[in-house]
Amino acid sequence: MAERIQPPKKGNLITILSIDGGGIRGIIPGVLLEYLESQLQELDGKDVRLADYFDVITGTSTGGLITAMLTAPNKDNRPLYAANGIVPFYLEHCPKIFPQASYHKELEQSCGSGQEAAQENCYSHQLGHGSLRTHSKWSLQPGRTQKVSDMKKIECHLSDIGIATSAAPTYLPAHYFRNTDDSGKSEEFDLIHGGVCANNPILKHDPEFNTIKAEDFRFLLISLGTGSNRIAKKYDAKTCAKWGPVNWIMWNGNTPITDVFMEASSDMVDYHNTLVFEAFRSQNHLLRIEDETLRGDLASVDKLTPQNLRNLENIGKQLLKKPLSRMNLRTGRHEPVPNGGTNADPLKRLIFN
């Protein structure tokens, strides 16, 4: 989802903030956004918000929810939330969306609490007897009914957009809604998670950008990931070769097919952005912040133990101190930028300059 806003302009510079999907790992960019907004407030006063500085804020799934928090207007036509409200919002409301005790109790009752092999046998057994969980792992109910318009001028309820962009297969149900405009024209929508095509959503752009001439290329892009475990070897070919359909859906507490398409999508968008910005010699106007070393519960999108939530918040704080990195187009991996400082440095420099 994307919200159009009208920040102060700096010449013809187009400023973009993009936030990946990743379930409860949205806490990580939440920490980064709180830091960025606090720095802007030191410069321009406590009432400024991130929406005052970006032409476009876009997000997928949990990033889409954060986008709504940062841009949807209150009664005074100001953003509903300050950035320092994102992490507390997750800590308060995520346990209502992902009620851990009920799900794990259901799983243990049907499968027991044995080791990996026993769990795989349980999944296969349930499938053979028609009792494998055939509904989504979690459910989500509509909230606010405020309407917003996207860049195609289609009006939709904010709750429908939030539910649709978050509808990750196997985790949350697909979302249907019907929209009727003021003229009475009706349109139906059958939607699932935005990450199936763009977990890193920055390639969705305003058609007006197509009119920009190459010599006038002036974009500033801050792209925030929610963390991944791509550095750790989570799956290997020998193991995957033995899998059937059930294992691709659920294996050792993970959802391989979902992991694969979300990480592949984010990687390809990151590669494309790096290629374009380097081609226009604008790599210093591109900032991608991502932790690629998450393991265990930290890599989960719905593991809501108090310890894991605290650890995710700490990951965000540690990211601010990590060296600035940029994708190497030959290897596809992020590598430290010589004399680039930490991630916190360009967060200040890109906006303040």
Side-chain angles (χ1 to χ4, degrees), residues 114 151 263 272 291:
M151 291 176 290
E263 292 191 7
H272 176 86
D291 189 306

Side-chain angles (χ1 to χ4, degrees), residues 85-242:
I86 296 172
V87 172
F89 182 92
Y90 273 70
L91 297 180
E92 178 182 355
H93 293 286
C94 280
K96 303 171 187 175
I97 301 172
F98 304 128
Q100 304 292 291
S102 61
Y103 173 71
H104 290 292
K105 182 177 181 181
E106 174 188 345
L107 183 63
E108 288 185 6
Q109 286 177 343
S110 58
C111 295
S113 56
Q115 299 299 313
E116 174 186 327
Q119 291 173 346
E120 290 182 6
N121 289 336
C122 169
Y123 296 139
S124 300
H125 174 78
Q126 287 183 324
L127 183 62
H129 288 76
S131 60
L132 179 67
R133 173 170 50 85
T134 56
H135 53 80
S136 299
K137 187 174 179 181
W138 312 111
S139 62
L140 191 62
Q141 299 300 319
R144 296 179 60 88
T145 58
Q146 181 176 4
K147 280 194 172 183
V148 296
S149 297
D150 71 6
M151 291 176 290
K152 296 179 182 179
K153 306 303 180 185
I154 300 173
E155 287 194 345
C156 303
H157 286 106
L158 185 62
S159 58
D160 286 321
I161 295 174
I163 293 172
T165 193
S166 305
T170 76
Y171 286 97
L172 290 163
H175 187 55
Y176 164 86
F177 65 93
R178 180 193 296 269
N179 181 64
T180 304
D181 62 22
D182 294 338
S183 68
K185 181 180 178 181
S186 182
E187 187 170 4
E188 294 183 328
F189 296 86
D190 296 272
L191 302 174
I192 61 171
H193 189 256
V196 298
C197 65
N199 199 54
N200 178 340
I202 192 54
L203 287 186
K204 178 177 179 180
H205 65 277
D206 193 321
E208 294 176 7
F209 294 171
N210 293 334
T211 63
I212 297 173
K213 298 178 181 178
E215 60 268 25
D216 294 330
F217 182 91
R218 291 204 67 210
F219 286 87
L220 184 154
L221 168 60
I222 296 177
S223 176
L224 304 180
T226 58
S228 72
N229 61 354
R230 58 177 57 88
I231 296 298
K233 193 172 183 180
K234 192 172 183 180
Y235 310 114
D236 61 79
K238 289 183 178 179
T239 301
C240 297
K242 302 174 185 177

Side-chain angles (χ1 to χ4, degrees), residues 57-72:
I57 300 180
T58 184
T60 292
S61 189
T62 199
L65 302 182
I66 293 174
T67 295
M69 295 174 71
L70 295 176
T71 59

Side-chain angles (χ1 to χ4, degrees), residues 2-17:
E3 295 292 335
R4 292 289 296 157
I5 50 184
Q6 299 297 326
K9 295 298 294 178
K10 297 180 179 180
N12 63 345
L13 182 67
I14 295 170
T15 53
I16 306 168
L17 172 64

